[in-house]
């Protein structure tokens, strides 16, 4: 009989301790360094063990904060639906409707548009933009990433120039643009499946190469067709399904 790989042995031991109630939902689990010392292996072996439990849905990984027992009451699958007229954050509204608490971390900087971003925003390469990076969490677990770009020519002289600062922070693109008289309607989205990059996997707490949904989204001014925001959205493939269209009411 061939012995199991060390990381699988550690994963099964942790699984048993979780199932038996030694670790309760929300509890912080031993660090990879602690696992290494306890089993006389390198920390990388402990990291591989946690990757198995993350993929199995027993454990969540929080970047920079360790590994935790997943709360089984959190929705297993979140449904992403278009919300063109949402006044609040579409993410927060959508997760709340599904019994989850949606929060996010963000960082905005001014930048210049590279060739790809300029093409999507229909501006000149090198034009100034506001670039914002997001990590979205459902019940404290990272489930989605996004990077957005907005032309300073559109928002630069207004109170909405920084998406997550000022009186209109956190209300979503459509509601923010409405403040400056721009109606964006429903975003144009291109959706495809791919594997998570190493950086994305780390931020989302999944294994490198795990499946993700990748959305290239652009909002347009409905009055003149000008792009006013574009974003790359990366969603955990094991936590999201995307739903489009609306079922008519029964007669």
């Amino acid at each position: 009989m061939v012995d199991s790989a060390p990381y699988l042995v550690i994963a099964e031991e942790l699984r048993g301790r979780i199932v038996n109630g030694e670790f309760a939902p929300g509890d912080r689990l031993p660090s990879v360094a602690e696992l290494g010392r306890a089993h006389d292996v390198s920390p990388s072996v402990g990291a591989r063990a946690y990757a198995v439990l993350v993929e199995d849905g027993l454990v969540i990984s929080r970047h920079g904060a360790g590994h935790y027992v997943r709360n089984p009451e959190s929705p297993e699958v979140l449904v992403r639906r278009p919300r063109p007229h949402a006044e609040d954050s579409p993410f927060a509204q959508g997760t709340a409707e599904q019994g989850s608490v949606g929060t996010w971390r963000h960082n905005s900087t001014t930048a210049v548009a590279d060739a790809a971003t300029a093409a999507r925003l229909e501006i000149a390469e090198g034009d100034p933009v506001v670039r914002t990076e997001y990590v979205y969490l459902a019940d404290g677990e990272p489930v989605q990433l996004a990077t957005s770009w907005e032309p300073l020519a559109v928002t630069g002289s207004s109170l909405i120039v920084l998406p997550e600062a000022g009186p209109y922070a956190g209300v979503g693109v459509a509601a923010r643009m409405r403040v400056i008289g721009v109606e964006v309607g429903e975003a144009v989205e291109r959706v495809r499946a791919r594997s998570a990059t190493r950086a994305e996997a780390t931020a989302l707490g999944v294994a490198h190469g795990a499946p993700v949904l990748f959305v290239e989204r652009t909002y347009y001014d409905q009055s003149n067709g000008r792009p006013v925001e574009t974003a790359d959205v990366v969603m955990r493939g094991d936590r999201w399904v995307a739903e489009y269209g609306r079922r008519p009411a029964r007669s």
Side-chain angles (χ1 to χ4, degrees), residues 25 59 78 91 93 108 121 123 154 165 174 181 194 208:
V59 170
L78 294 163
F91 176 80
Q93 182 179 333
S108 293
L121 290 173
I123 59 178
V154 174
R194 63 168 173 79
H208 177 219

Side-chain angles (χ1 to χ4, degrees), residues 80 114 116-117 120-121 131-136 144-150 188-192 194 200 213-219 229-235:
R80 182 176 186 269
D114 60 18
T117 303
R120 286 164 61 172
L121 290 173
R131 182 178 190 269
T132 306
E133 295 184 342
Y134 295 90
V135 178
Y136 291 93
Q144 177 177 304
L145 310 173
T147 303
S148 75
W149 298 268
E150 296 179 357
V188 175
E189 296 188 342
R190 297 174 55 131
V191 184
R192 63 185 172 92
R194 63 168 173 79
E200 291 166 351
L213 289 177
F214 176 76
V215 181
E216 184 182 292
R217 181 195 73 199
T218 303
Y219 279 103
E229 190 260 12
T230 194
D232 289 342
V233 183
V234 180
M235 300 179 288

Side-chain angles (χ1 to χ4, degrees), residues 134-211:
Y134 295 90
V135 178
Y136 291 93
L137 306 99
D139 296 324
E141 178 184 1
V143 294
Q144 177 177 304
L145 310 173
T147 303
S148 75
W149 298 268
E150 296 179 357
L152 274 173
V154 174
T155 62
S157 60
S158 70
L159 292 174
I160 67 164
V161 61
L162 296 178
E164 299 296 333
Y168 302 103
V171 297
V173 176
R176 286 178 52 249
M177 291 296 169
R178 202 170 294 127
V179 173
I180 59 173
V182 175
E183 290 291 336
V184 298
E186 192 167 336
V188 175
E189 296 188 342
R190 297 174 55 131
V191 184
R192 63 185 172 92
R194 63 168 173 79
S195 298
T197 66
R198 192 172 299 279
E200 291 166 351
T202 299
L204 290 171
V206 298
H208 177 219

